[in-house]
Amino acid sequence: MDFKPFVPTFYALHTLIRFISPFKLLELVNWLFSRIDSKNATVHQSSKRNDLFVGLHLASCTFDILSAYMGQPNPESTLYSYLGGTETQFDVLLFERIFFQVFEICCRFKLDIADKCLLKAVKVVKMHKSVQDPYLPSIMVLSRIVASTPIDIISHCLHKVDRTKADLLYLITGTSPLHMSAFGFTFSEILNTLLLNAHKNQETSKYSLSDEELTMLLPTALLYLNSVTIKFEGQSSKPFQVILSVYGRLLFGGFSKWKIFVSSSIFEIRLDKLLTASREEFSNLFSDSLLGKAILIARDHLASNEDISKLDWRLSLFNQVCPSNADDIFDCCCGETGLRSLKQPLEFVNKVVAYINFCRILLFFDCNGSESPPLEKSRIQFLRMLISTWMLIVKKFPENNAYSGNIDGENLSLFRFLEFFVMHNVSELTTEIQNCLIKLDSLPFTEQLVKSFLLYRFEDSVTLKMLRTVLTSLSRGKFSCISVIQLLLAHSKFAQSIHSANQSLDSTQFGLVFTPMRSIMTSLVIPCTNLDSLYFKNKKSTSEPDLNLLELIKLVRVLFQIYVQQREEANVGDEEGINCRELVYLLLSSYGATCSEVDKEIYNLMLEIESNDKSSAGIVAQTDYIWGPSSLKMRKDSVDLKNTESFEELQKVKFRENIPVDPNMCAQTVLHFPYNEFVNGGTSSTVMTEACSTTDKLQIYDPIFILRFSIHCISRNYIEPIEFASLGLLAITFVSMSSNDEVTRKLGYEALSKFNSALEKCQKKKDVKRLGLLMTSLQNGIEGQWRRIPSIIAIFCAEASLVLLDESYANHSSIYEYFNKSRCVNMKDIPLFSTLFWSSSDKFKMDRLWMLRLLYVGLNTEDDAQIYLGNHIFKTLMSFYCSPLSDNDSKELIIQIVEKACQFHRAVRVLVEHGGLILWLSSIVSSLYLIKCQEQKRAAFIQLPMVFKVVSYITSPRNNIEWLPKHAMEQLSELSSNLFKLLVSSFDLIKEESTLCNSILETLTLLLKVSQKREISQPHFTLSEDSLFQLYKTVESCSKTKSDPSTCLALKAVLTTTPPVTIRRMGQENLSKFLRWAVATAIQSKPEDESIVSKLLRWLIASVIRGKISRKLIDNDNNSFSKRESFHSLQSWLSSKNEKVFEENGCDDVLAATIFYLLQILGFNHSLLPSAVSALCLLLVPSSSELESLIGDGTSLLSLCTKIHCPAEANPAWRWLYDEKWGEVSNEISAAEKLDEIHACERLVMVASNILMKKSGFSHIFELKDVENLNVYDWERSLIQI
């Protein structure tokens, strides 16, 4: 047969193949293979090969296109779709025929193209993480096809190993536990034979593996070792040691000649186009590479062999890998320094990363061992090389600065990743070996490191942070810190960077304000609740310039502390140091006096300089506490006026002209005062809680500094008492007296005393008299020295200090009358509450809103909440909320007040147990989904974020554990039910606001977790199978992509509910849709302690087993099942079955297929196998007589089931917990019995796959007798006795 006439047609087909449906191409490939009679001996061999090459090439192209098409987020974007192709399903039976035809060709003809074609077919199945939902059912079926690959694939791949066969073997062994065991047995036999022949200097083995072939098989060997570690529960046996020993000798021998060994083509990643990715993606890429896995197995061998783990041996190998004359890592690792001209940059970086990891293993393997001088010398040499390498990278790639601070971004450059990786290792090493570094006579590389930073990475916050870590570790070392500081201060951009702090300030107020602010309450803007931050850690969105400035100030502070330490140790005076005085002036001119992290660092640094440098002492006070740009003018004017006679008077004038106090920022400081800020040793530190988190987003004054400023200016008579009050400084003084920090309160009391003294000296004008009434009433109400006054009283007095100065203000008369009548403020009362909240004046709405704002701002501590409870404030507000008199503005403020109260543990408990809080929230939610008008509903939905936040406080872990499940579950169930109805009924509105959907789902999850904490005998809130399906449909419609956060949250909500025993009632079609969505979502979820895939598998298994138990209890008369003795094995449990239980149902096959697929993804985790197999048997086993042909010769179903212990889920006392990992079997069993159980499970799980294959009409099933013929089980059983 002449192949030449077919060439033009073949070439045309090859050219147009991208425009043809991949599903049509499968049919074409099947037709081609059906025309080839591979068994006909009369057909010429070359002609047969030509036919095979054509078919295999088209099959390879088809598998490539199929993978690309099924992985497209939008399949319509492919070239094929432009011609009208829209298929979403294909014939899996057709794929099976082609797959096994290709497998037969591989084994018969030994063609490389056949191996490559089979590998591409397997990769189609293994693309579960990127496959789109419509194709997932097909992928699940195809995974069973690959798992049914005959065991002969192991011997085929181990014969004349190449990269393709090694990759194919790695993928195949992961699809079935029996393939894994067969590989382990065969591979161990090969290695034993190789070792035996090596001693006898002969080669009689069927398999002859070279070092290169062994290296290519390393990933599969590592996969097997990880598997048997779990299987044999960490027991060490000779065959496993043989694998480690062979690879140890191979790898350590190769690594000793690093450059030659790693230059082999087998270590190529073959993804050179990937030059940008996230840091996590790069890390995973390099750790999953062949070279990365070689480092891992070398580490394992080092841990298992005492001889080579000895220090002398490791140091000898390190000296071979890293000669003392090497300058940097590149020189040792690759011998390449021309980083710009690299042809394969990805391969280069892979080698560097592996080299660094390998050297760290050699030098830091035994961290608890004694540190010898040679070891310390080698570690220091390695650190020097790392620093030199980093310096070379930053010099060669200055454009990496474009990625400054973007270490956690999605598009990180390859060499930016390498720069970070090297610097991270430098940071870790300096911390680990700091004890030996401080012993050195000098640390010259420190100054070199700083110089490179100043030249190339000065504006990079990531490098700044790591440099600070390094210098902190070296703080006791012998290096010239003064030189480092001088280099830093002399940098051309240092002053410019420090001055950039002023650019972030919103306030540009200079000079005294003569028009007083009218009211603080009118400045209140309650921030909208960010739904995304309710249940997730809210990452601070600090801009890159601010982050750079913050890290720069922290670096200067660390350097100054080291400088002071070195100066004290050397007993040197200030004169030999730096110009600290000018540094303080620079910092003060850039200081904003706010609570921002940058300003706090600047202020703390100024305090430290003033306290440790004599020339700088008192600079801030000498400039009259004027900060920011105004301090520069004050300094200049002070020099000009210093020698004049009227210096003090002129200084007062200049002070009043340059005073930088902004009344609006004073108002914001009062409204958002940091009550949880504490001062330690003169420097401030903030304990972050919900109550003070808003200070990160709002610009407010630092209370400590502004109080010292207030004391200074009022003591010097720079401003009058009325001016002091009109600026808002008196208001800040009042609020500081309610601070939890004693230092802040003392400063507040001192400022108030100074103000009172100044006020008494003033002329008795109306404003002075009114402020006098306020001062007298407050002072009469305070009992004890430095006592903390309630926030509500402090805020009321702060507001009064401004309102009393303005007679035109609406509440002026009410507040004046209050202080005029009450000569003593009642610290346990809410001033004017009844008067203003129930006001009957023509401005009653304004009065009520003013009081609600006061209540909101005045609630900041647990003591404040107790005052509210004592005055029945919450009861009044919640009742008013539900009344017809309540308007939207009042409702919003009321729910905000309740939300704030729920932050306090005692208050929320009282509100839940005695205040009807949960029922009140439930009524709010129910009223929302009952609203028919969409516009009214949209307006009412504004209140929902606060409802979610209140629920999050109520269901906090502390409340959940202590009392919530016992006392409030019924109310929470009603709230949960209403939230679910709201989610389903308001689908159109929620679809517009994805964050709303997320919040409802997260709240449902919280409430379901609370239900799980109840005793098993108590009622629980759970979702029925119909509710689960409704939830899935709603979320699927709201989600834009399968990686949308709402899908993950919905799946968590599903997995938090108790596994439904009636899940089969969904029906086959709905159950298939639901499980397809659940599996796809679980695969895409982010890693946790226990993966979502594992949780989903546990949930499905429990649903099946508990469901079957439930049906048995119903179907068996007189509760005979429940009266049976406890079942010890799966066989005794199955023998109690009623035929009704095993009636045919399509749902059983869907559940079984899903359980098998999830097991495959998890690598057939042995801790999950017994329960998973029990569920599969319940779903698929019709009768033992029909099953014997699927098991193998000499083995019965009953004998296998006898070896499997009854699953934990069959215990009536068993219960489901989302956060609880799979428990161990309670009864003690021997290692041999445990292994027999695993063997039985592995066989039965493949039997289940065969049953599913048979039911789907497939012609190929896995032959268990092939594994038995290898005596794999006997071999593994013998291992536990070795």
Side-chain angles (χ1 to χ4, degrees), residues 303-322:
S304 64
N305 193 315
E306 294 182 0
D307 294 333
I308 66 169
S309 63
K310 292 179 179 178
L311 179 60
D312 293 341
W313 187 91
R314 288 188 283 117
L315 289 180
S316 174
L317 180 57
F318 175 77
N319 291 331
Q320 295 179 53
V321 175
C322 185

Side-chain angles (χ1 to χ4, degrees), residues 952-1181:
S952 71
Y953 291 136
I954 294 174
T955 56
S956 66
R958 184 179 179 184
N959 297 338
N960 199 346
I961 294 170
E962 292 183 0
W963 54 271
L964 196 60
K966 186 182 295 184
H967 298 290
M969 194 58 236
E970 286 71 20
Q971 299 173 36
L972 287 173
S973 297
E974 182 180 341
L975 175 60
S976 304
S977 178
N978 287 331
L979 280 172
F980 181 81
K981 292 176 183 177
L982 179 66
L983 178 64
V984 176
S985 65
S986 306
F987 158 79
D988 293 333
L989 189 57
I990 290 174
K991 189 174 181 179
E992 299 174 9
E993 295 288 341
S994 61
T995 51
L996 197 59
C997 177
N998 296 348
S999 298
I1000 294 177
L1001 291 170
E1002 190 62 48
T1003 305
L1004 274 174
T1005 304
L1006 283 174
L1007 297 175
L1008 286 164
K1009 285 185 177 181
V1010 173
S1011 178
Q1012 289 181 356
K1013 300 296 182 182
R1014 302 198 91 188
E1015 296 294 332
I1016 194 169
S1017 58
Q1018 293 179 308
H1020 290 72
F1021 173 72
T1022 187
L1023 297 175
S1024 66
E1025 69 280 355
D1026 290 336
S1027 298
L1028 292 175
F1029 187 75
Q1030 281 184 306
L1031 180 64
Y1032 140 69
K1033 290 296 292 181
T1034 302
V1035 172
E1036 186 184 48
S1037 302
C1038 293
S1039 305
K1040 298 177 182 178
T1041 63
K1042 66 177 181 179
S1043 59
D1044 194 290
S1046 61
T1047 59
C1048 294
L1049 289 173
L1051 182 58
K1052 284 186 178 181
V1054 168
L1055 297 180
T1056 308
T1057 191
T1058 303
V1061 298
T1062 55
I1063 194 171
R1064 298 162 81 255
R1065 292 181 184 173
M1066 277 192 193
Q1068 183 176 357
E1069 183 179 354
N1070 287 347
L1071 182 60
S1072 298
K1073 293 177 180 178
F1074 172 76
L1075 291 180
R1076 181 189 69 192
W1077 164 81
V1079 172
T1081 304
I1083 291 172
Q1084 293 298 321
S1085 62
K1086 294 181 179 179
E1088 296 182 0
D1089 292 337
E1090 181 190 13
S1091 69
I1092 299 296
V1093 175
S1094 178
K1095 293 180 189 291
L1096 176 59
L1097 176 59
R1098 291 198 293 113
W1099 189 84
L1100 287 175
I1101 291 170
S1103 181
V1104 170
I1105 294 176
R1106 303 297 289 183
K1108 293 296 183 180
I1109 292 175
S1110 176
R1111 293 174 65 194
K1112 285 174 182 284
L1113 291 173
I1114 295 173
D1115 294 338
N1116 285 274
D1117 296 331
N1118 300 320
N1119 292 326
S1120 58
F1121 181 78
S1122 60
K1123 293 179 181 179
R1124 281 177 172 266
E1125 296 180 1
S1126 60
F1127 301 114
H1128 296 291
S1129 69
L1130 177 61
Q1131 181 272 329
S1132 60
W1133 194 41
L1134 289 174
S1135 65
S1136 68
K1137 65 178 173 63
N1138 187 303
E1139 290 302 320
K1140 293 179 183 179
V1141 176
F1142 292 94
E1143 62 187 5
E1144 285 294 325
N1145 188 307
C1147 292
D1148 288 354
D1149 294 345
V1150 173
L1151 286 166
T1154 305
I1155 289 173
F1156 181 86
Y1157 183 63
L1158 293 174
L1159 270 174
Q1160 264 192 325
I1161 293 175
L1162 294 170
F1164 295 93
N1165 190 318
H1166 294 102
S1167 63
L1168 302 174
L1169 268 180
S1171 292
V1173 168
S1174 299
L1176 289 171
C1177 288
L1178 287 171
L1179 291 167
L1180 296 175
V1181 176

Side-chain angles (χ1 to χ4, degrees), residues 48 233 322 408 607 632 832 1007 1154:
K48 189 183 297 183
E233 298 182 342
C322 185
D408 295 319
L607 290 178
L632 295 175
L832 298 177
L1007 297 175
T1154 305

Side-chain angles (χ1 to χ4, degrees), residues 466-490:
M466 291 189 176
L467 181 62
R468 175 164 54 87
T469 304
V470 170
L471 292 173
T472 302
S473 300
L474 300 176
S475 60
R476 292 183 292 142
K478 296 179 179 63
F479 72 98
S480 177
C481 184
I482 187 171
S483 300
V484 173
I485 296 177
Q486 287 171 345
L487 285 171
L488 182 61
L489 297 182

Side-chain angles (χ1 to χ4, degrees), residues 88 92 132 157 332 550 579 648 654 681 698 711 714 931 952:
T88 58
V92 289
Q132 299 303 302
C157 291
C332 294
L550 176 62
N579 192 344
E648 291 187 3
K654 292 299 179 182
L698 298 169
I711 293 169
I714 200 72
I931 299 175
S952 71

Side-chain angles (χ1 to χ4, degrees), residues 101-164:
Q101 284 172 336
V102 173
F103 169 74
E104 186 178 349
I105 294 170
C106 285
C107 297
R108 181 183 293 270
F109 293 96
K110 313 297 182 186
L111 298 176
D112 290 343
I113 190 174
D115 294 334
K116 292 177 181 178
C117 183
L118 191 63
L119 176 62
K120 290 180 179 180
V122 175
K123 284 184 176 180
V124 171
V125 180
K126 300 295 284 187
M127 60 178 294
H128 55 262
K129 285 194 175 182
S130 58
V131 71
Q132 299 303 302
D133 288 0
Y135 305 108
L136 186 59
S138 299
I139 291 294
M140 292 171 67
V141 177
L142 298 184
S143 68
R144 296 197 298 276
I145 294 174
V146 175
S148 302
T149 306
I151 210 70
D152 294 340
I153 190 67
I154 305 294
S155 58
H156 172 75
C157 291
L158 290 175
H159 181 68
K160 294 183 178 179
V161 181
D162 57 20
R163 186 74 178 266
T164 302

